Amino acid sequence: MKPKPEGRLHKMRIRLRKRYVLLAFGAFASVLAWASGTASEEAGGSVDTAAVSYEFASVAARPAPEPASDSRSDRSADGAASDKVVVFIYHTHNRESFLPELGLGPQADPADAYDPDINITAVGRTLANMLGRRGISAVLSNTDYPSEVEAFEYAKSYAYSARTVREALAAYPDVRLIVDLHRDSLGREATTVTIGGLPYARLCFVVGGRNPHRAKNEALAHKLHQAAESRLPGISRGVLTKSSHGHAEYNQSLSPYSVLVEAGGPYNTFAELNRSMDVLADAIAAVVGDGSRPGGPTEGG
């Protein structure tokens, strides 16, 4: 039997109170750590910075909030002057979130890493801005499918986001790269790597095997993987092609210039993800920054 609306509201209030308490505690702990100088990433001490940044997710480390936009897409601030959009970024599962950023501890259910406000879209915005700083014009779709699609069904997410991709291709016919940015569901040990004393959220490039552009999508994914690895060895988990399970298409039949990127997992922080977006932006700039389309001419539309 479903709980009464009043019961659900009561549970939501309790959960919010717990979240605020955890956030307050985390911020207080971060201040103490900074004051002592023992857990500061800048100090480069011997403390396990990955564990510290998870247990006490610093509010100050999160991306600064940006003004809400009325449009479905945001052009990167530094790339706005360019007439040609080079990279289009969107999020099929736009509410995928991160437990530390929600004030939830490592024992929390990963399924709770799902939020309408604090989610993977913030990571996409960071990537778009970092590309802009490299002279790569990028546009980010900020569509929140659960609230904008009538009778939303999670299982139909790729059908909803396919419309976003088609609209982008019509608006930006010369786009060189389409990125569907996700958060993986694996544990922290699989989605995190410590390099030079700093924790990074690992990247994984996913290709759908059931689409006519598979060969070009795979070639593109491998180029991005290799470029990221040359910048920071260990940052990428590699290229994963899915043909017999899952969706296995990922809207990549719409363009040979498409790639799905898994960035981190439910246990990563925005600070770790932002470091990885810096590496990913370098990799993208290396692959598409020469003005050519990495997958070659479009075949079959």
Side-chain angles (χ1 to χ4, degrees):
M1 186 173 73
K2 292 184 178 179
K4 294 181 179 180
E6 294 83 354
R8 290 200 298 269
L9 182 59
H10 179 66
K11 289 181 180 179
M12 288 177 65
R13 287 172 176 165
I14 292 176
R15 184 174 172 184
L16 283 172
R17 291 194 190 104
K18 289 181 179 179
R19 182 179 296 181
Y20 294 147
V21 169
L22 286 167
L23 283 171
F25 179 71
F28 178 67
S30 296
V31 171
L32 289 178
W34 174 83
S36 65
T38 60
S40 170
E41 293 177 356
E42 288 77 8
S46 60
V47 174
D48 183 352
T49 53
V52 171
S53 63
Y54 179 85
E55 188 173 358
F56 305 119
S58 172
V59 175
R62 298 177 185 170
E66 298 187 11
S69 172
D70 291 331
S71 73
R72 296 169 64 91
S73 299
D74 288 335
R75 187 184 289 260
S76 61
D78 296 301
S82 174
D83 290 330
K84 288 189 177 182
V85 169
V86 176
V87 180
F88 178 71
I89 304 165
Y90 72 107
H91 309 279
T92 293
H93 298 148
N94 67 284
R95 291 192 176 187
E96 288 178 329
S97 188
F98 309 92
L99 294 172
E101 301 302 331
L102 297 176
L104 302 175
Q107 302 307 316
D109 188 339
D112 289 336
Y114 189 76
D115 193 89
D117 301 310
I118 303 172
N119 54 48
I120 190 68
T121 306
V123 184
R125 184 175 294 111
T126 296
L127 176 60
N129 286 333
M130 287 183 172
L131 287 169
R133 292 169 194 159
R134 289 161 173 78
I136 305 293
S137 180
V139 166
L140 168 72
S141 169
N142 56 17
T143 304
D144 178 44
Y145 297 105
S147 66
E148 295 189 24
V149 175
E150 186 175 356
F152 172 84
E153 295 180 43
Y154 187 84
K156 297 180 180 178
S157 294
Y158 284 98
Y160 305 142
S161 63
R163 178 179 175 181
T164 299
V165 176
R166 291 189 182 97
E167 290 175 348
L169 288 170
Y172 316 114
D174 296 321
V175 68
R176 299 177 205 155
L177 178 64
I178 299 171
V179 178
D180 188 4
L181 188 61
H182 290 246
R183 178 224 69 201
D184 211 332
S185 58
L186 300 177
R188 182 175 173 82
E189 67 283 354
T191 65
T192 313
V193 61
T194 299
I195 303 173
L198 292 175
Y200 289 77
R202 299 188 76 191
L203 306 172
C204 182
F205 301 91
V206 181
V207 176
R210 292 203 295 259
N211 81 84
H213 302 305
R214 171 179 172 173
K216 290 184 177 179
N217 291 146
E218 281 184 326
L220 171 58
H222 279 287
K223 286 181 181 180
L224 290 169
H225 158 72
Q226 292 164 3
E229 282 290 289
S230 67
R231 168 77 161 73
L232 201 68
I235 190 68
S236 175
R237 290 163 42 211
V239 177
L240 175 63
T241 299
K242 294 185 178 181
S243 300
S244 59
H245 59 90
H247 189 270
E249 197 271 345
Y250 309 117
N251 296 334
Q252 291 171 358
S253 61
L254 300 176
S255 171
Y257 319 122
S258 298
V259 65
L260 188 155
V261 181
E262 300 273 15
Y267 302 95
N268 288 106
T269 67
F270 279 154
E272 295 162 351
L273 287 150
N274 287 350
R275 293 188 194 104
S276 301
M277 290 305 100
D278 189 44
V279 178
L280 181 57
D282 274 348
I284 291 173
V287 172
V288 305
D290 62 356
S292 64
R293 283 184 163 183
T298 302
E299 294 178 359

